[in-house]
Amino acid sequence: MAWRTLTLVCVAMLSACTTGTERVAEVDRPNIIVILADDLAYSDIEPYGGEIETPNLARLADNGMTFTYFHTSPMCSPSRAMLLTGVAQHRTGYGTMAEFLAENQVGARGYEGQLNDRVLTIAERLRSGGYRTYMTGKWHLGRDSEPSSRGFDRSFTLIQGAGSHFDERGYAEFMPTVTYLRDGEPTELPDDFYSTDAYTDELIRYLDEDREEGKPFFAYLAYTAPHWPLHAPEETIAKYEGKYAEGWSALRQKRFDALKEAGIIPADAPMSDEHPDVPDWDSLTPEQQAHQAKIMAVYAAMVDRIDQNLGRLIAHLEATGELNNTVIIFTSDNGPEAIDFTTDPIFPPATNWVAENFDNNTENLGGPLSYPFYGRPWAQAGAAGHRYYKTFVTQGGIHAPMIISWKGRIDSGGKTRAFATLLDIAPTLLEMAGIDAARSAGDGRPVEPMAGKSMLPYLSGRSDAIYPEWDGQSFELFGNEAFISGDWKIQRLRKPAGDGEWKLFNLARDPNETRDIRAAHPDVFARLMEGHQSYIEQNGVILAPDDYEMFGT
C-alpha cells in the first residue's frame, strides 16, 4: 500500500492517525482548490495518454494520485450539484437538467431546477469552519441560488451553461446574451476577455488581495472550456494546425492504444462499435476534412489553454509559499459533448441563429466571430473506445479524469482503479479540513445527508477501497439508468439509444460495455439491482415517461 500512503496527515479536529498521535495545528489545515473542466474527455490529457500538450496536469499527476475509474453524472448541472454538495443528484434540485424537465417532473421535490435550500455546499461548510471561499467560472446551478448566496466570499461567474468564450453572446435566439456576476451583481466583461485566462486571473487576484495569516482558502475554479462554442487564442490553435488531418477514427484508435499502453485498460479490451452516423473520414471532401481537422485543433487548443493556466496558478502558489499545503483536485463534469446545434434539431431556432450571427468558415474557426461545435465524430474519438458520450449513463458519458495532488502528503505518481465519483469529493475535503460532514445549516432547516464517501481512508492506507463490497452509486438521466459497484455495472438504455433491457457488464475486463453477461451472473445482477432500486426509492427518482426523447443517440 506504500504507493498510496498519505504521510502523517493528522488534520486538526480529526482523530489521531494510525501512524502516530501528533495532530497538525489548525493553521496547517490545507488550502483546497477544485478545478473542473467542462465536457473534457478522459483521454484528452497526458496523464491518460492523450496527445494534447498538458505538462502541468502531468506534473500534478506526478505529485499526486491519478484515478482511472472515476465517475460523474452524464451532464453538467447534476454533476456540479453532486460535486459541490456530496448529496445524491436527485435530492439537490437537479434530478434532471432544468432546461429539459419532463412534464411529470415539473414542481417535484428534487427537481426544482436550481440548487435547493436543503443542501449545503462545500463552501458553506468550509466557510463556517474558518476558510476563505472563492469561485470563478461556470455556475449553472440557478440564478436564484448564485455563488454569493451559497457560501462563497468572492465570486466571478457565468450563470448559464454556455456562451462565447470572448464576450457575453449566448447560445440561441432565446438566449442571445448570457449573465456574468461578480459577487452577486451583474458585471461587464473587458475587451480582451477570454474565459479560461480571465477565470484564472480573477482567482489569483482574490488569493493576493485576501491573504490572511492562519486562515486557509477554498477555491472552486470551474472552467467553461472545452465546452462549445469552440474558441481559443490564435497562437494556441496554431500549435495544433494539421495535427488531426488523419481524422476521427484514427484519433480514436490512437487514444485507445495509448490507454492500453498506460495500463489504464486491459491489453485485450475490445472497443465499442463506431456510431452508425459517424461518416468514414475518407468519404469527406478535402475541404470538409480540413474544416473538421481545424475544429479538433481548436478543441485541443482549449484544453492546452486550461493547462497553461493551471501552470500559472501553480507558479503563483509556489511564489507565495502555499503550494506544499494546498490540495488540488482536477476533474471534468462529464464525458465529451456530441451535440452540434448546426446539425442536431435540439433547439431548432439555434441552427438559424448560429448561421445568421456567426462565420464558421474554416479559416475563422476558433475566433470570436465563429461558433463551432465539437460534434459526434470527435466526441466518439474522445470517448476512446467507450460507447456514447455526454448525456448517457454509458462509460462514454460518466467516466472522467480525476487527479488529486497534495505535494509531499500524497505519494507521487500513483494510479488507482478504485471506484470513486463526484459525490466523494466533498466528504474527502471536509475530512481533510477537519470539519464534521454531519454539521447542520445552523439555522434549523433540515439538511440532506451526503451520499459520497471520504477517499481519505483509502489514500492514507487505512482502507483497501473507497466503497465496501457491493456498495456503489446509481446514475440516472432522461430515464437511462445504471448502477456501479466495484467492477460491476448494470445499465438500461431507452430506445433509440438502447433496447430498454437491463444488462450487466464487468468493467475491469470489458471497460467499453461490449458484452452483456447478465445471464452468466444472475446473483451479481440481482445484488446490483437491489442497490439501484434502493437508490430510486430513497431519493425520490421520477423517471421521464417512456415516450420522452431528449437527445436520441
Side-chain angles (χ1 to χ4, degrees):
M1 256 181 234
W3 60 272
R4 59 174 172 83
T5 299
L6 201 68
T7 57
L8 194 61
V9 181
C10 306
V11 184
M13 296 185 285
L14 295 179
S15 59
C17 291
T18 56
T19 52
T21 57
E22 177 186 356
R23 298 185 184 186
V24 176
E26 185 168 345
V27 294
D28 288 326
R29 289 187 300 164
N31 303 312
I32 298 166
I33 300 176
V34 175
I35 302 172
L36 186 68
D38 198 352
D39 296 354
L40 181 80
Y42 87 110
S43 71
D44 283 337
I45 60 177
E46 289 182 19
Y48 295 81
E51 79 292 339
I52 300 173
E53 293 182 23
T54 48
N56 294 297
L57 283 166
R59 176 186 176 190
L60 200 68
D62 288 343
N63 287 306
M65 186 67 64
T66 299
F67 281 68
T68 64
Y69 194 48
F70 186 78
H71 293 79
T72 67
S73 92
M75 217 165 176
C76 22
S77 296
S79 285
R80 291 161 201 277
M82 291 162 60
L83 167 64
L84 283 177
T85 67
V87 174
Q89 162 199 338
H90 297 86
R91 290 175 177 259
T92 64
Y94 282 97
T96 190
M97 292 290 293
E99 295 89 340
F100 305 116
L101 283 162
E103 288 186 8
N104 64 329
Q105 296 166 340
V106 175
R109 182 184 177 93
Y111 291 80
E112 293 88 349
Q114 65 177 14
L115 204 60
N116 64 42
D117 61 4
R118 298 186 303 278
V119 294
L120 291 177
T121 67
I122 314 175
E124 289 173 294
R125 294 176 185 273
L126 289 174
R127 185 165 70 174
S128 70
Y131 272 70
R132 297 170 285 150
T133 55
Y134 309 122
M135 179 189 171
T136 61
K138 175 174 165 177
W139 180 241
H140 206 193
L141 291 172
R143 176 65 176 87
D144 295 334
S145 63
E146 49 81 25
S148 66
S149 70
R150 300 312 301 250
F152 289 97
D153 295 324
R154 302 185 71 179
S155 57
F156 171 60
T157 53
L158 169 66
I159 293 300
Q160 291 86 0
S164 171
H165 294 272
F166 290 110
D167 52 43
E168 293 98 338
R169 278 178 289 188
Y171 54 84
E173 186 175 357
F174 63 84
M175 188 66 69
T177 59
V178 290
T179 305
Y180 283 86
L181 301 182
R182 181 173 275 111
D183 299 332
E185 298 296 327
T187 188
E188 294 185 357
L189 303 180
D191 291 340
D192 62 350
F193 178 82
Y194 178 68
S195 64
T196 304
D197 297 349
Y199 298 145
T200 309
D201 290 341
E202 190 86 1
L203 177 56
I204 289 174
R205 184 166 67 83
Y206 295 163
L207 299 181
D208 276 342
E209 292 177 353
D210 295 350
R211 193 172 295 123
E212 186 175 340
E213 190 67 31
K215 195 169 185 180
F217 66 81
F218 164 66
Y220 173 42
L221 178 53
Y223 290 121
T224 46
H227 193 293
W228 54 260
L230 304 187
H231 286 156
E234 289 182 10
E235 67 273 17
T236 313
I237 297 173
K239 294 173 61 176
Y240 297 94
E241 290 272 17
K243 193 174 184 70
Y244 298 102
E246 293 181 345
W248 37 65
S249 295
L251 179 63
R252 186 182 192 227
Q253 188 65 55
K254 286 179 180 178
R255 295 274 188 94
F256 189 61
D257 293 343
L259 289 167
K260 288 184 175 182
E261 186 175 345
I264 293 173
I265 59 176
D268 59 351
M271 266 190 184
S272 65
D273 293 336
E274 285 203 346
H275 194 287
D277 291 339
V278 172
D280 188 282
W281 183 256
D282 291 337
S283 71
L284 275 59
T285 67
E287 292 77 18
Q288 290 172 327
Q289 290 181 350
H291 186 85
Q292 287 294 332
K294 178 71 175 290
I295 284 176
M296 185 62 210
V298 177
Y299 176 93
M302 296 176 79
V303 178
D304 186 307
R305 199 74 174 195
I306 289 175
D307 189 81
Q308 291 180 39
N309 277 275
L310 172 61
R312 289 204 297 128
L313 182 57
I314 290 173
H316 181 270
L317 294 172
E318 285 181 314
T320 56
E322 299 277 13
L323 182 60
N324 287 353
N325 195 38
T326 300
V327 176
I328 302 176
I329 292 179
F330 177 88
T331 187
S332 179
D333 59 344
N334 43 245
E337 170 68 278
I339 293 301
D340 181 344
F341 283 2
T342 64
T343 58
D344 296 317
I346 304 306
F347 297 121
T351 301
N352 293 333
W353 183 80
V354 171
E356 292 169 359
N357 292 278
F358 298 93
D359 177 6
N360 278 348
N361 287 322
T362 300
E363 63 274 9
N364 202 46
L365 292 174
L369 299 180
S370 70
Y371 211 97
F373 294 81
Y374 199 38
R376 182 183 290 111
W378 290 120
Q380 180 181 257
H386 285 331
R387 187 181 182 196
Y388 294 135
Y389 16 69
K390 175 181 173 179
T391 75
F392 294 97
V393 296
T394 57
Q395 290 301 95
I398 65 174
H399 186 195
M402 202 275 275
I403 301 166
I404 179 168
S405 175
W406 192 356
K407 190 174 181 181
R409 310 295 182 99
I410 295 177
D411 279 357
S412 299
K415 284 188 173 71
T416 177
R417 200 183 168 279
F419 172 68
T421 77
L422 286 172
L423 290 170
D424 307 321
I425 289 177
T428 301
L429 297 180
L430 292 176
E431 186 174 0
M432 287 178 169
I435 293 175
D436 184 3
R439 181 179 294 177
S440 71
D443 58 8
R445 75 177 190 266
V447 174
E448 299 283 8
M450 287 190 176
K453 311 284 187 185
S454 172
M455 296 178 280
L456 192 56
Y458 175 78
L459 290 168
S460 66
R462 290 180 280 129
S463 175
D464 291 332
I466 298 168
Y467 283 77
E469 187 177 16
W470 299 115
D471 197 358
Q473 292 289 356
S474 285
F475 305 83
E476 186 277 329
L477 193 67
F478 306 136
N480 296 316
E481 306 171 74
F483 183 86
I484 298 176
S485 177
D487 293 337
W488 299 99
K489 179 180 183 180
I490 56 171
Q491 179 173 279
R492 183 179 77 94
L493 298 180
R494 291 182 169 186
K495 295 178 180 179
D499 60 11
E501 298 297 323
W502 281 98
K503 295 175 170 46
L504 173 68
F505 304 101
N506 184 299
L507 297 178
R509 300 188 185 98
D510 181 24
N512 300 313
E513 303 161 328
T514 65
R515 298 184 294 268
D516 174 18
I517 52 176
R518 173 181 174 177
H521 300 278
D523 294 344
V524 173
F525 179 83
R527 291 290 294 266
L528 269 63
M529 183 58 72
E530 181 182 354
H532 179 63
Q533 290 301 323
S534 177
Y535 176 90
I536 295 291
E537 294 165 9
Q538 292 177 12
N539 293 287
V541 176
I542 302 172
L543 297 179
D546 288 340
D547 60 355
Y548 177 87
E549 184 177 331
M550 181 52 238
F551 290 121
T553 62

